[in-house]
Amino acid sequence: MSENVESLQQRAKAIRVDILRSTTEAGSGHPSSSMSAAEVVTALYFGGFMDYDPKNPHWPDRDRFILSKGHAAPVLYAAMAEAGYFPKEELMTLRKLGSPLEGHPNMVRLGGVEASTGSLGQGLSIGVGHALAARVDKKTYHTYVLTGDGELGQGQIWEAAASAAKYGLDNLTCIVDRNHFQQTGAAEEVLNMDPIDGKFTAFGWQTQVINGNDMHEVVTALKRAREVKGRPTCIVSLTHKGQGMLKLLEKLGDTNYHGKPVKPEDLDAAIAEVEAEAGV
Amino acid sequence: MAGASSALQSKRPIGKATRDAFGRALEALGGDYPDVVVVDADVSNSTRTEWFGKKYPDRFFNIGIAESNLVGVAGGLASCGKTAVISSFAAFITCNAYDQLRMAVAYPGLNVKVVGSHAGVSIGEDGASQMGIEDVSLACSLPGFVVIVPADEASTRAATKALLDYKGPVYLRTGRPDVPKIYPDEPAPFTIGKANLLRDGSDVTIVANGLMVASALDAADELAGSGIEARVLDMHTVKPIDREALLAAARDTGAVVVAEEHLAHGGLGSAVAMAVAEQHAVPIRFVNIGDTFGESGTPEGLLEKYGLTAGRVVEAARQAVSAKKNG
């Protein structure tokens, strides 16, 4: 499945609406952390970068997507529903008892989830394991890992970065959703990890810095990542937390908006803002 | 004289260390188990996974001194269909990487075999920081994990094959020093979750694992001299515990002693006490390290200092028998 940029932009809008609806219905969750990554996740699933089969989620040759920032589960679930892993109505069961759409992804209960995450800093190591398995099995699948920027405070990220470089894992791409906020405030103030691209470069990775809310740039960067040989790629994806509802967040006086669903009375305004987003 | 001696001073013939037996078994089984991959955190010449690594370099990865990453990488490999074997010192792999064991292995129930070597005070002179004395407790606290503490080289070989055949997460504890042989024949009897009855008796049951199995047998010899017939169970699997064998032991002998090279809390003693209390409560006495760290010293000296001797097992058995009579 490979769509053009305009079509991907429409998908990203639909995914943002699903993020808003599902988290408001759940009454909890992390819509702003999910919405910042909507272009990247949409491009991965629908831009021709991943081969997968929703009817056979464990197909061994599939490309993999690991959501290391597990609290952004709503963007993953919205993309998976769009892709046909489960009916879209199920998005409304998010976080409810008995639903496989848990607050953070659980690979046992939802086929197509590649790693159970929610304790930050671990997804890149798991991605290294997937990439090494491909090498052992002489398979050509590619593994993508999406981390947050605050998550880079976990030392395990850098353990994983060093090991991926040691083994020259050009079948591994790490995308850092650089949305500039973490739970208690600005990422630069909580623990400044700048320059992020410089750190990955120093570990031996190919790096790119892009506007991660611009579908053209996202698609171009993911294409380049597939062409790099002999080393893993890190894409530092500069985004806005809550992209798509920034006007609403400004009105609410909370540009971080971490771990809060949009209140039912604000939902229509948020959806209207997503649908009116410039450039689409 | 059995009374004062540690397991390492048993009169039984000394065999190889359990870490050596694991390393040789893994190397030997590598050809029959093409899905096995081994990841190391730069201690393979201590844990003995280096022997597999030399024979199968394409299936061996040294990711550096980084236990958290070690466990995460193993989770990734296992979710791609590999049987991922990872090994480090018991203290480091269970304590340093506990959350990774929880999230990347236990929660998804993946096929990762975690081998903690250099467990217990019998590691010796390196001291407390290197001694895994809470590893069994931590491993038992991981939902879905099987936890195995083999007694000698033959049972470690058998355990290694059993854990490769088993689908799911397993913790295997191995040790540094050469230990007495318990099982002279090959292969040693080994079924996950099924205790081995080493000696029958009707007065008290000694439940032991690891190198304390040798002390349990020595203690049973000494007790027999004073007319107490002790049953000895090698409880190599701590989780799932063999409830059937424990229920029979409690009913038939009416008194239990648990001996292990581990902290007082959360290890074999806790598992046996819970099973016995639920099914047929009888007096139980415990031989273990207590609630303290170890220190540097010779393995023999440390085992004696921390009460891990046949003499302490004898004493505990006498107390349990006495409690039964007075109860």
Short mmCIF file of all heavy atoms in Angstrom, two decimals, chain B residues 80-133:
data_model
loop_
_atom_site.label_atom_id
_atom_site.label_comp_id
_atom_site.label_asym_id
_atom_site.label_seq_id
_atom_site.Cartn_x
_atom_site.Cartn_y
_atom_site.Cartn_z
N CYS B 80 10.66 -12.66 17.36
CA CYS B 80 10.83 -13.05 15.95
C CYS B 80 11.03 -14.56 15.83
O CYS B 80 11.55 -15.04 14.82
CB CYS B 80 12.00 -12.31 15.34
SG CYS B 80 11.75 -10.53 15.24
N GLY B 81 10.66 -15.32 16.85
CA GLY B 81 10.69 -16.77 16.76
C GLY B 81 11.96 -17.43 17.27
O GLY B 81 12.10 -18.65 17.19
N LYS B 82 12.89 -16.64 17.77
CA LYS B 82 14.12 -17.23 18.28
C LYS B 82 13.93 -17.71 19.72
O LYS B 82 13.11 -17.18 20.47
CB LYS B 82 15.25 -16.18 18.26
CG LYS B 82 15.58 -15.67 16.87
CD LYS B 82 16.17 -16.77 16.05
CE LYS B 82 16.06 -16.48 14.57
NZ LYS B 82 16.20 -17.69 13.76
N THR B 83 14.73 -18.70 20.10
CA THR B 83 14.88 -19.06 21.50
C THR B 83 16.09 -18.26 21.98
O THR B 83 17.23 -18.59 21.67
CB THR B 83 15.13 -20.56 21.67
OG1 THR B 83 14.06 -21.28 21.06
CG2 THR B 83 15.25 -20.94 23.15
N ALA B 84 15.83 -17.18 22.71
CA ALA B 84 16.91 -16.27 23.09
C ALA B 84 17.45 -16.66 24.46
O ALA B 84 16.71 -16.71 25.44
CB ALA B 84 16.40 -14.83 23.11
N VAL B 85 18.75 -16.96 24.50
CA VAL B 85 19.40 -17.31 25.76
C VAL B 85 20.30 -16.15 26.15
O VAL B 85 21.13 -15.69 25.35
CB VAL B 85 20.24 -18.60 25.61
CG1 VAL B 85 20.98 -18.91 26.92
CG2 VAL B 85 19.36 -19.77 25.21
N ILE B 86 20.10 -15.64 27.37
CA ILE B 86 20.95 -14.55 27.85
C ILE B 86 21.50 -14.93 29.21
O ILE B 86 20.83 -15.58 30.00
CB ILE B 86 20.19 -13.21 27.94
CG1 ILE B 86 18.89 -13.37 28.74
CG2 ILE B 86 19.91 -12.66 26.56
CD1 ILE B 86 18.17 -12.06 28.97
N SER B 87 22.74 -14.55 29.44
CA SER B 87 23.35 -14.93 30.71
C SER B 87 24.24 -13.82 31.21
O SER B 87 24.96 -13.18 30.46
CB SER B 87 24.16 -16.22 30.52
OG SER B 87 24.61 -16.68 31.77
N SER B 88 24.15 -13.58 32.51
CA SER B 88 25.07 -12.68 33.19
C SER B 88 25.11 -13.13 34.65
O SER B 88 24.48 -14.13 35.01
CB SER B 88 24.59 -11.23 33.08
OG SER B 88 25.52 -10.37 33.72
N PHE B 89 25.88 -12.44 35.47
CA PHE B 89 25.86 -12.78 36.88
C PHE B 89 24.42 -12.65 37.38
O PHE B 89 23.70 -11.71 37.01
CB PHE B 89 26.77 -11.84 37.67
CG PHE B 89 28.25 -12.15 37.53
CD1 PHE B 89 28.75 -12.76 36.40
CD2 PHE B 89 29.13 -11.82 38.54
CE1 PHE B 89 30.11 -13.04 36.28
CE2 PHE B 89 30.49 -12.09 38.43
CZ PHE B 89 30.98 -12.71 37.29
N ALA B 90 24.02 -13.56 38.25
CA ALA B 90 22.64 -13.57 38.76
C ALA B 90 22.27 -12.22 39.35
O ALA B 90 21.15 -11.72 39.15
CB ALA B 90 22.48 -14.68 39.80
N ALA B 91 23.21 -11.61 40.07
CA ALA B 91 22.92 -10.32 40.72
C ALA B 91 22.62 -9.26 39.68
O ALA B 91 21.70 -8.46 39.83
CB ALA B 91 24.10 -9.89 41.58
N PHE B 92 23.40 -9.24 38.60
CA PHE B 92 23.26 -8.16 37.62
C PHE B 92 22.02 -8.35 36.75
O PHE B 92 21.29 -7.40 36.48
CB PHE B 92 24.50 -8.08 36.74
CG PHE B 92 25.79 -7.97 37.51
CD1 PHE B 92 26.98 -8.46 37.00
CD2 PHE B 92 25.82 -7.38 38.77
CE1 PHE B 92 28.17 -8.37 37.71
CE2 PHE B 92 26.99 -7.28 39.50
CZ PHE B 92 28.18 -7.78 38.97
N ILE B 93 21.80 -9.58 36.32
CA ILE B 93 20.72 -9.75 35.35
C ILE B 93 19.35 -9.62 36.01
O ILE B 93 18.41 -9.09 35.40
CB ILE B 93 20.88 -11.06 34.56
CG1 ILE B 93 20.13 -10.96 33.23
CG2 ILE B 93 20.41 -12.28 35.35
CD1 ILE B 93 20.59 -11.94 32.20
N THR B 94 19.23 -10.05 37.26
CA THR B 94 17.91 -9.92 37.90
C THR B 94 17.71 -8.55 38.53
O THR B 94 16.61 -8.01 38.50
CB THR B 94 17.66 -11.00 38.96
OG1 THR B 94 18.68 -10.94 39.96
CG2 THR B 94 17.62 -12.38 38.35
N CYS B 95 18.77 -7.99 39.11
CA CYS B 95 18.59 -6.70 39.82
C CYS B 95 18.68 -5.53 38.86
O CYS B 95 17.81 -4.65 38.86
CB CYS B 95 19.65 -6.54 40.91
SG CYS B 95 19.57 -7.82 42.17
N ASN B 96 19.70 -5.51 38.01
CA ASN B 96 19.90 -4.37 37.12
C ASN B 96 18.79 -4.28 36.08
O ASN B 96 18.34 -3.20 35.73
CB ASN B 96 21.27 -4.52 36.43
CG ASN B 96 21.70 -3.28 35.68
OD1 ASN B 96 20.89 -2.51 35.21
ND2 ASN B 96 23.00 -3.08 35.56
N ALA B 97 18.38 -5.42 35.58
CA ALA B 97 17.45 -5.42 34.43
C ALA B 97 16.07 -5.94 34.82
O ALA B 97 15.36 -6.48 33.99
CB ALA B 97 18.04 -6.27 33.31
N TYR B 98 15.68 -5.70 36.06
CA TYR B 98 14.39 -6.29 36.49
C TYR B 98 13.21 -5.76 35.67
O TYR B 98 12.35 -6.52 35.24
CB TYR B 98 14.15 -6.03 37.99
CG TYR B 98 12.98 -6.83 38.48
CD1 TYR B 98 13.12 -8.19 38.77
CD2 TYR B 98 11.72 -6.28 38.58
CE1 TYR B 98 12.05 -8.95 39.16
CE2 TYR B 98 10.63 -7.03 38.96
CZ TYR B 98 10.79 -8.37 39.26
OH TYR B 98 9.73 -9.13 39.64
N ASP B 99 13.16 -4.45 35.46
CA ASP B 99 12.02 -3.91 34.73
C ASP B 99 12.00 -4.42 33.29
O ASP B 99 10.92 -4.64 32.71
CB ASP B 99 12.03 -2.38 34.75
CG ASP B 99 10.79 -1.79 34.10
OD1 ASP B 99 9.69 -2.32 34.35
OD2 ASP B 99 10.90 -0.81 33.35
N GLN B 100 13.19 -4.61 32.72
CA GLN B 100 13.25 -5.14 31.35
C GLN B 100 12.77 -6.59 31.33
O GLN B 100 12.07 -7.00 30.39
CB GLN B 100 14.67 -5.02 30.80
CG GLN B 100 15.09 -3.59 30.45
CD GLN B 100 15.35 -2.71 31.67
OE1 GLN B 100 15.57 -3.20 32.78
NE2 GLN B 100 15.34 -1.41 31.47
N LEU B 101 13.13 -7.37 32.35
CA LEU B 101 12.61 -8.74 32.43
C LEU B 101 11.09 -8.73 32.54
O LEU B 101 10.40 -9.57 31.96
CB LEU B 101 13.22 -9.48 33.63
CG LEU B 101 14.70 -9.82 33.52
CD1 LEU B 101 15.23 -10.34 34.85
CD2 LEU B 101 14.95 -10.87 32.43
N ARG B 102 10.59 -7.75 33.28
CA ARG B 102 9.15 -7.65 33.48
C ARG B 102 8.45 -7.25 32.18
O ARG B 102 7.47 -7.88 31.77
CB ARG B 102 8.90 -6.60 34.57
CG ARG B 102 7.47 -6.27 34.85
CD ARG B 102 7.40 -5.28 36.02
NE ARG B 102 6.04 -4.91 36.31
CZ ARG B 102 5.44 -3.82 35.81
NH1 ARG B 102 6.09 -2.99 35.03
NH2 ARG B 102 4.19 -3.56 36.12
N MET B 103 8.95 -6.19 31.53
CA MET B 103 8.26 -5.62 30.37
C MET B 103 8.54 -6.37 29.06
O MET B 103 7.65 -6.59 28.26
CB MET B 103 8.68 -4.16 30.17
CG MET B 103 8.06 -3.17 31.12
SD MET B 103 6.26 -3.12 31.04
CE MET B 103 6.00 -2.59 29.33
N ALA B 104 9.82 -6.71 28.84
CA ALA B 104 10.21 -7.23 27.52
C ALA B 104 10.14 -8.75 27.46
O ALA B 104 10.25 -9.32 26.37
CB ALA B 104 11.62 -6.75 27.16
N VAL B 105 10.01 -9.42 28.61
CA VAL B 105 9.99 -10.89 28.59
C VAL B 105 8.75 -11.46 29.28
O VAL B 105 7.98 -12.20 28.68
CB VAL B 105 11.27 -11.45 29.27
CG1 VAL B 105 11.25 -12.98 29.24
CG2 VAL B 105 12.52 -10.94 28.57
N ALA B 106 8.54 -11.09 30.56
CA ALA B 106 7.45 -11.72 31.31
C ALA B 106 6.07 -11.29 30.80
O ALA B 106 5.19 -12.13 30.58
CB ALA B 106 7.59 -11.40 32.80
N TYR B 107 5.90 -9.99 30.61
CA TYR B 107 4.57 -9.46 30.22
C TYR B 107 4.11 -10.07 28.89
O TYR B 107 2.99 -10.59 28.81
CB TYR B 107 4.68 -7.93 30.19
CG TYR B 107 3.44 -7.13 29.92
CD1 TYR B 107 2.19 -7.54 30.36
CD2 TYR B 107 3.53 -5.92 29.25
CE1 TYR B 107 1.07 -6.77 30.11
CE2 TYR B 107 2.42 -5.13 29.01
CZ TYR B 107 1.19 -5.56 29.44
OH TYR B 107 0.10 -4.79 29.19
N PRO B 108 4.97 -10.07 27.87
CA PRO B 108 4.54 -10.76 26.63
C PRO B 108 4.75 -12.28 26.67
O PRO B 108 4.40 -12.96 25.72
CB PRO B 108 5.42 -10.12 25.55
CG PRO B 108 6.61 -9.58 26.25
CD PRO B 108 6.20 -9.27 27.66
N GLY B 109 5.32 -12.82 27.75
CA GLY B 109 5.49 -14.27 27.86
C GLY B 109 6.40 -14.86 26.81
O GLY B 109 6.13 -15.94 26.26
N LEU B 110 7.49 -14.19 26.51
CA LEU B 110 8.34 -14.60 25.39
C LEU B 110 9.31 -15.72 25.75
O LEU B 110 9.60 -15.97 26.92
CB LEU B 110 9.10 -13.38 24.86
CG LEU B 110 8.21 -12.37 24.11
CD1 LEU B 110 8.97 -11.10 23.82
CD2 LEU B 110 7.68 -12.98 22.82
N ASN B 111 9.82 -16.33 24.71
CA ASN B 111 10.67 -17.51 24.86
C ASN B 111 12.13 -17.09 25.10
O ASN B 111 12.98 -17.25 24.23
CB ASN B 111 10.53 -18.36 23.59
CG ASN B 111 11.02 -19.77 23.79
OD1 ASN B 111 11.07 -20.27 24.92
ND2 ASN B 111 11.40 -20.42 22.71
N VAL B 112 12.36 -16.55 26.27
CA VAL B 112 13.70 -16.09 26.65
C VAL B 112 14.18 -16.92 27.83
O VAL B 112 13.42 -17.14 28.78
CB VAL B 112 13.70 -14.59 27.02
CG1 VAL B 112 15.08 -14.15 27.51
CG2 VAL B 112 13.27 -13.74 25.82
N LYS B 113 15.40 -17.41 27.74
CA LYS B 113 16.00 -18.19 28.83
C LYS B 113 17.05 -17.32 29.50
O LYS B 113 18.05 -16.93 28.88
CB LYS B 113 16.64 -19.47 28.30
CG LYS B 113 15.81 -20.22 27.27
CD LYS B 113 14.39 -20.55 27.76
CE LYS B 113 13.58 -21.15 26.62
NZ LYS B 113 12.19 -21.41 27.00
N VAL B 114 16.79 -17.01 30.75
CA VAL B 114 17.65 -16.10 31.50
C VAL B 114 18.50 -16.96 32.44
O VAL B 114 17.95 -17.67 33.28
CB VAL B 114 16.80 -15.11 32.32
CG1 VAL B 114 17.69 -14.13 33.07
CG2 VAL B 114 15.81 -14.39 31.42
N VAL B 115 19.80 -16.89 32.27
CA VAL B 115 20.68 -17.74 33.08
C VAL B 115 21.53 -16.85 33.98
O VAL B 115 22.36 -16.08 33.51
CB VAL B 115 21.56 -18.64 32.20
CG1 VAL B 115 22.41 -19.57 33.07
CG2 VAL B 115 20.67 -19.46 31.26
N GLY B 116 21.29 -16.95 35.28
CA GLY B 116 22.02 -16.16 36.26
C GLY B 116 23.13 -16.99 36.88
O GLY B 116 22.86 -17.94 37.62
N SER B 117 24.36 -16.63 36.57
CA SER B 117 25.48 -17.41 37.10
C SER B 117 26.06 -16.72 38.33
O SER B 117 25.61 -15.64 38.73
CB SER B 117 26.56 -17.55 36.03
OG SER B 117 27.25 -16.33 35.87
N HIS B 118 27.04 -17.34 38.95
CA HIS B 118 27.71 -16.77 40.12
C HIS B 118 26.73 -16.44 41.23
O HIS B 118 26.83 -15.41 41.91
CB HIS B 118 28.52 -15.53 39.72
CG HIS B 118 29.67 -15.84 38.80
ND1 HIS B 118 29.49 -16.33 37.54
CD2 HIS B 118 31.01 -15.75 38.98
CE1 HIS B 118 30.66 -16.53 36.96
NE2 HIS B 118 31.60 -16.20 37.81
N ALA B 119 25.73 -17.32 41.39
CA ALA B 119 24.72 -17.08 42.42
C ALA B 119 25.24 -17.52 43.78
O ALA B 119 26.08 -18.42 43.88
CB ALA B 119 23.45 -17.85 42.06
N GLY B 120 24.71 -16.87 44.80
CA GLY B 120 24.97 -17.30 46.17
C GLY B 120 26.32 -16.86 46.71
O GLY B 120 27.17 -16.32 45.99
N VAL B 121 26.52 -17.13 48.01
CA VAL B 121 27.79 -16.74 48.64
C VAL B 121 28.95 -17.62 48.17
O VAL B 121 30.12 -17.27 48.37
CB VAL B 121 27.70 -16.78 50.19
CG1 VAL B 121 26.70 -15.76 50.70
CG2 VAL B 121 27.36 -18.17 50.70
N SER B 122 28.65 -18.74 47.53
CA SER B 122 29.72 -19.65 47.10
C SER B 122 30.57 -19.09 45.97
O SER B 122 31.56 -19.70 45.58
CB SER B 122 29.14 -21.01 46.70
OG SER B 122 28.23 -20.87 45.63
N ILE B 123 30.21 -17.93 45.43
CA ILE B 123 31.11 -17.25 44.49
C ILE B 123 32.41 -16.86 45.19
O ILE B 123 33.47 -16.83 44.60
CB ILE B 123 30.41 -16.03 43.83
CG1 ILE B 123 31.39 -15.05 43.23
CG2 ILE B 123 29.56 -15.28 44.79
CD1 ILE B 123 30.71 -13.88 42.54
N GLY B 124 32.34 -16.56 46.50
CA GLY B 124 33.57 -16.40 47.28
C GLY B 124 34.13 -15.01 47.37
O GLY B 124 33.43 -14.04 47.70
N GLU B 125 35.42 -14.88 47.03
CA GLU B 125 36.22 -13.71 47.38
C GLU B 125 35.74 -12.40 46.74
O GLU B 125 36.05 -11.32 47.24
CB GLU B 125 37.69 -13.95 47.00
CG GLU B 125 38.41 -14.98 47.87
CD GLU B 125 38.14 -16.43 47.47
OE1 GLU B 125 37.27 -16.67 46.58
OE2 GLU B 125 38.76 -17.33 48.05
N ASP B 126 35.01 -12.46 45.64
CA ASP B 126 34.58 -11.21 44.99
C ASP B 126 33.63 -10.39 45.85
O ASP B 126 33.47 -9.19 45.63
CB ASP B 126 33.94 -11.51 43.63
CG ASP B 126 35.00 -11.75 42.56
OD1 ASP B 126 36.16 -11.33 42.75
OD2 ASP B 126 34.66 -12.37 41.54
N GLY B 127 32.96 -11.04 46.78
CA GLY B 127 32.19 -10.29 47.76
C GLY B 127 30.74 -10.03 47.40
O GLY B 127 30.24 -10.45 46.35
N ALA B 128 30.09 -9.29 48.30
CA ALA B 128 28.62 -9.18 48.30
C ALA B 128 28.06 -8.58 47.02
O ALA B 128 26.98 -8.98 46.58
CB ALA B 128 28.17 -8.35 49.49
N SER B 129 28.76 -7.61 46.42
CA SER B 129 28.18 -6.95 45.24
C SER B 129 27.98 -7.93 44.09
O SER B 129 27.13 -7.71 43.23
CB SER B 129 29.05 -5.78 44.79
OG SER B 129 30.27 -6.25 44.24
N GLN B 130 28.78 -8.99 44.07
CA GLN B 130 28.71 -9.95 42.95
C GLN B 130 27.79 -11.14 43.24
O GLN B 130 27.59 -11.98 42.36
CB GLN B 130 30.11 -10.51 42.65
CG GLN B 130 31.21 -9.46 42.62
CD GLN B 130 31.03 -8.46 41.50
OE1 GLN B 130 31.06 -8.82 40.33
NE2 GLN B 130 30.83 -7.20 41.83
N MET B 131 27.30 -11.25 44.47
CA MET B 131 26.56 -12.45 44.89
C MET B 131 25.06 -12.28 44.65
O MET B 131 24.43 -11.46 45.32
CB MET B 131 26.77 -12.69 46.39
CG MET B 131 28.18 -13.06 46.76
SD MET B 131 28.38 -13.04 48.57
CE MET B 131 30.12 -13.57 48.67
N GLY B 132 24.49 -13.07 43.76
CA GLY B 132 23.04 -13.07 43.62
C GLY B 132 22.45 -13.88 44.75
O GLY B 132 22.52 -15.11 44.76
N ILE B 133 21.89 -13.20 45.73
CA ILE B 133 21.27 -13.94 46.84
C ILE B 133 19.77 -13.66 46.92
O ILE B 133 19.08 -14.21 47.76
CB ILE B 133 21.92 -13.60 48.20
CG1 ILE B 133 21.88 -12.10 48.46
CG2 ILE B 133 23.34 -14.15 48.26
CD1 ILE B 133 22.28 -11.71 49.87
#
